């Protein structure tokens, strides 16, 4: 228990460091803003109670908000992602269910499963986030393009990080 | 009572979700306002130290460029001094001028945190109330418009960048004086849009766009950029695409311009509305 708390704190810390120091500084035409910190929500164990998942999502979002100077925006998007995570996991569960005591990872459940899982949650998170940011529906399709492009980059980076995690 | 408890047990996740989401939306709606940057300010206080050290590291890598910018500025200032001293030799002027009042207050500051890749961009500068800054002062970079201060703490201020969907500025064409409204459309961090210029006005590609003094924030004649392309979207007005003079990607030294007579102007204008 203590061990896994330590492990997740380390993951949280590393992801925040990457997000704040590296990914928040990517300046690529204003259409691409990858947000990889959402990977923390993806990696939490299957057995985590929903209420804890929601509160952790909220706190994660709030920490990113601190650094982006946008109170509530990331928190709101991350809480939505945390809310749908159990439903998504149920929908895409393998035929014989999840192994007890395991956490969502590419090694155990394969590349396709992990890609689908990441895709759904990242898309939803980015969708909420970018529409909250502009807070209007004029230029609907341009915002949609930003959602798509940023999601592609976020998902690629998350998959790369997951590969790196597997290497360890 | 039992039904209520059952209900709560059944939907507890949904309830927590709604509470947290409500909290987030509340923060969002109170914290991001144009004039109410209080929450942003409070939150910025906690991360300011990290930003400062990040900025120090970044500026270290850009020392060569910064040196060049400063050298150029020095040359310009020296030229200005030379012109002024020559004029003083020839002109006659009263030492105790009772009509002249200083209208603008100038100050220099460094940008310690800047964003250009969002739709609502802000930047943080390293001077605040204690250094005489206050809300609604203009920020310029290298004599061209960069933003407006929206929140001040004791030693730091947050400015709304020109690259912000909520930013509005009264701007005019230097050659003929017709004025319109300048805003950013969120597409490109080197371009902005000038609207409300009527279609009978002659506009050419390359014309200089500058600020008007109407808003009492920016002084008159600060350069914003040049006309890049002109569109006729139908209706009576042009939609003019402007290439911005300020390069927001390397905003570092900025000038703060405060209008000392702003309250007087605004009071007068309000009394006639």
């Amino acid at each position: 228990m203590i061990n896994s708390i330590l492990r997740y704190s380390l993951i949280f810390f590393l992801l925040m460091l990457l997000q704040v120091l590296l990914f928040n500084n990517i300046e690529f035409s204003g259409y691409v803003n990858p947000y990889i910190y959402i990977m923390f929500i993806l990696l939490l164990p299957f057995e985590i109670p929903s209420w804890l998942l929601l509160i952790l999502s909220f706190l994660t979002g709030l920490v990113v908000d601190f650094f982006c100077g946008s109170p509530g925006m990331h928190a709101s998007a991350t809480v939505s992602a945390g809310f749908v995570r159990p439903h998504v996991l149920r929908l895409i569960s393998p035929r014989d269910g999840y192994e007890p005591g395991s956490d969502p990872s590419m090694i155990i459940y394969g590349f396709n499963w992990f890609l689908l899982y990441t895709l759904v949650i990242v898309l939803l998170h980015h969708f909420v986030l970018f529409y909250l940011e502009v807070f209007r529906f004029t230029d609907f399709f341009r915002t949609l393009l930003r959602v798509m492009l940023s999601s592609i980059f976020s998902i690629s980076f998350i998959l790369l990080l997951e590969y790196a995690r597997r290497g360890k | 009572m039992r039904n209520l408890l059952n209900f709560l047990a059944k939907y507890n996740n949904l309830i927590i979700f709604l509470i947290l989401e409500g909290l987030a939306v509340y923060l969002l709606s109170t914290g991001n306002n144009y004039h109410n940057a209080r929450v942003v300010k409070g939150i910025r206080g906690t991360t300011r130290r990290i930003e400062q050290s990040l900025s120090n590291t970044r500026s270290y890598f850009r020392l060569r460029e910064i040196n060049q910018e400063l050298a150029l500025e020095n040359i310009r200032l020296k030229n200005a001094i030379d012109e002024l001293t020559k004029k003083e030799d020839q002109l006659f002027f009263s030492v105790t001028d009772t009509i002249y009042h200083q209208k603008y207050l100038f100050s220099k500051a460094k940008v310690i945190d800047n964003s250009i890749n969002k739709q609502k961009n802000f930047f943080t500068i390293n001077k605040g109330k204690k250094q005489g800054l206050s809300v609604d002062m203009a920020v310029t970079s290298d004599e061209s418009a960069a933003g407006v201060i929206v929140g001040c703490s004791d030693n730091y201020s947050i400015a709304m960048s020109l690259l912000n969907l909520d930013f509005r500025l009264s701007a005019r064409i230097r050659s003929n004086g017709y004025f319109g409204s300048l805003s950013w459309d969120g597409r490109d961090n080197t371009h902005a849009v000038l609207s409300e210029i009527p279609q009978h006005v002659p506009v050419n590609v390359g014309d200089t766009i500058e600020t008007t003094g109407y808003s009492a924030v920016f002084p008159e004649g600060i350069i914003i950029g040049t006309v890049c392309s002109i569109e006729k979207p139908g209706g009576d007005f042009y939609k003019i695409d402007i290439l911005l003079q300020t390069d927001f990607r390397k905003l570092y030294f900025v000038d703060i311009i405060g209008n000392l007579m702003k309250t007087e102007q605004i009071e007068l204008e309000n009394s006639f509305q």
Side-chain angles (χ1 to χ4, degrees):
Chain A
M1 183 65 187
I2 299 291
N3 202 354
S4 73
I5 289 178
L6 268 178
R7 202 159 69 91
Y8 279 104
S9 310
L10 185 70
I11 291 177
F12 181 78
F13 188 68
L14 283 177
L15 282 175
M16 282 300 152
L17 223 58
L18 270 176
Q19 181 66 48
V20 171
L21 297 185
L22 187 65
F23 288 96
N24 275 357
N25 292 316
I26 287 185
E27 284 154 10
F28 191 73
S29 78
Y31 280 86
V32 177
N33 311 110
Y35 290 106
I36 52 119
Y37 69 90
I38 188 71
M39 191 179 177
F40 180 68
I41 305 303
L42 294 175
L43 291 184
L44 287 167
F46 290 117
E47 281 100 355
I48 188 167
S50 300
W51 59 270
L52 185 60
L53 179 65
L54 284 172
I55 289 172
L56 281 177
S57 312
F58 184 72
L59 293 179
T60 312
L62 214 57
V63 170
V64 180
D65 277 332
F66 278 6
F67 285 97
C68 295
S70 55
M73 211 169 75
H74 288 278
S76 176
T78 319
V79 168
S80 325
F83 182 69
V84 296
R85 195 191 98 135
H87 304 285
V88 174
L89 280 176
R90 204 174 313 127
L91 273 178
I92 62 168
S93 69
R95 192 170 301 148
D96 38 355
Y98 297 110
E99 283 173 42
S102 68
D103 47 346
S105 81
M106 205 195 284
I107 323 169
I108 307 176
Y109 300 102
F111 179 81
N112 287 341
W113 179 86
F114 194 80
L115 178 65
L116 186 64
Y117 174 50
T118 314
L119 188 80
V120 175
I121 291 189
V122 169
L123 267 181
L124 178 96
H125 171 264
H126 282 36
F127 192 83
V128 176
L129 185 70
F130 284 91
Y131 278 98
L132 271 182
E133 188 188 10
V134 291
F135 218 72
R136 61 188 75 167
F137 281 115
T138 52
D139 281 336
F140 180 87
F141 289 104
R142 199 165 61 82
T143 311
L144 198 64
L145 183 66
R146 294 180 67 223
V147 172
M148 293 303 165
L149 285 176
S150 300
S151 298
I152 290 171
F153 276 80
S154 301
I155 291 167
S156 319
F157 284 120
I158 288 175
L159 290 177
L160 273 178
L161 285 174
E162 177 64 15
Y163 259 113
R165 214 167 68 95
R166 189 163 79 160
K168 262 195 289 188
Chain B
M1 194 62 201
R2 176 174 294 244
N3 280 339
L4 181 69
L5 283 179
N6 279 341
F7 176 80
L8 286 181
K10 195 175 174 193
Y11 291 106
N12 65 344
N13 287 329
L14 189 65
I15 291 164
I16 296 174
F17 169 69
L18 288 178
I19 290 172
L20 290 177
E21 199 66 39
L23 197 62
V25 171
Y26 171 74
L27 284 175
L28 188 70
S29 59
T30 53
N32 279 335
N33 266 341
Y34 185 148
H35 282 291
N36 184 359
R38 271 220 309 268
V39 181
V40 182
K41 233 190 325 177
I43 284 169
R44 284 281 166 125
T46 52
T47 57
R48 213 177 272 145
R49 196 163 296 172
I50 302 171
E51 276 164 15
Q52 180 92 58
S53 56
L54 272 179
S55 153
N56 284 345
T57 322
R58 268 191 226 122
S59 71
Y60 183 78
F61 289 113
R62 290 194 45 229
L63 278 181
R64 189 184 297 268
E65 230 171 289
I66 290 167
N67 250 337
Q68 274 170 357
E69 276 167 29
L70 287 179
L72 284 176
E73 194 175 341
N74 255 340
I75 293 170
R76 224 180 22 247
L77 290 177
K78 273 182 187 160
N79 286 335
I81 288 175
D82 205 41
E83 271 172 36
L84 287 175
T85 44
K86 264 181 204 154
K87 268 183 200 157
E88 276 176 17
D89 286 343
Q90 294 158 357
L91 284 174
F92 212 84
F93 65 98
S94 156
V95 181
T96 52
D97 187 346
T98 52
I99 297 174
Y100 175 80
H101 288 290
Q102 187 178 2
K103 189 172 178 194
Y104 293 104
L105 198 70
F106 293 85
S107 178
K108 215 159 176 58
K110 266 197 281 186
V111 174
I112 59 167
D113 182 45
N114 184 17
S115 77
I116 60 162
N117 53 10
K118 308 218 171 58
Q119 295 292 290
K120 294 183 179 171
N121 293 302
F122 293 87
F123 54 86
T124 314
I125 53 183
N126 69 346
K127 280 190 177 175
K129 271 185 222 149
K130 281 188 181 166
Q131 287 80 25
L133 268 58
S134 66
V135 170
D136 270 348
M137 285 185 168
V139 182
T140 64
S141 161
D142 211 12
E143 316 278 310
S144 54
V148 175
I149 294 182
V150 292
C152 291
S153 66
D154 280 350
N155 293 306
Y156 295 89
S157 302
I158 292 177
M160 181 186 274
S161 169
L162 206 152
L163 306 180
N164 189 312
L165 293 180
D166 297 331
F167 190 90
R168 294 284 179 281
L169 181 61
S170 161
R172 70 177 174 213
I173 302 165
R174 178 172 273 181
S175 56
N176 55 25
Y178 278 96
F179 71 95
S181 167
L182 184 99
S183 58
W184 187 55
D185 58 355
R187 278 168 214 261
D188 188 341
N189 58 42
T190 56
H191 288 80
V193 176
L194 180 65
S195 47
E196 294 167 29
I197 297 276
Q199 290 203 353
H200 64 81
V201 175
V203 188
N204 299 312
V205 171
D207 280 357
T208 306
I209 306 296
E210 60 180 16
T211 56
T212 65
Y214 299 162
S215 64
V217 174
F218 277 93
E220 226 179 313
I222 301 266
I223 294 176
I224 298 167
T226 51
V227 174
C228 184
S229 66
I230 303 154
E231 248 180 80
K232 289 183 182 174
D236 301 330
F237 298 106
Y238 283 125
K239 183 167 174 266
I240 303 177
D241 191 40
I242 289 169
L243 181 66
L244 293 169
Q245 171 96 359
T246 312
D247 189 349
F248 286 89
R249 272 168 297 193
K250 42 182 201 181
L251 207 59
Y252 193 61
F253 282 111
V254 288
D255 297 290
I256 320 294
I257 305 175
N259 187 343
L260 294 172
M261 296 176 191
K262 188 182 71 197
T263 39
E264 192 182 327
Q265 183 180 343
I266 287 174
E267 267 171 27
L268 183 67
E269 282 171 356
N270 284 345
S271 67
F272 283 95
Q273 271 168 7

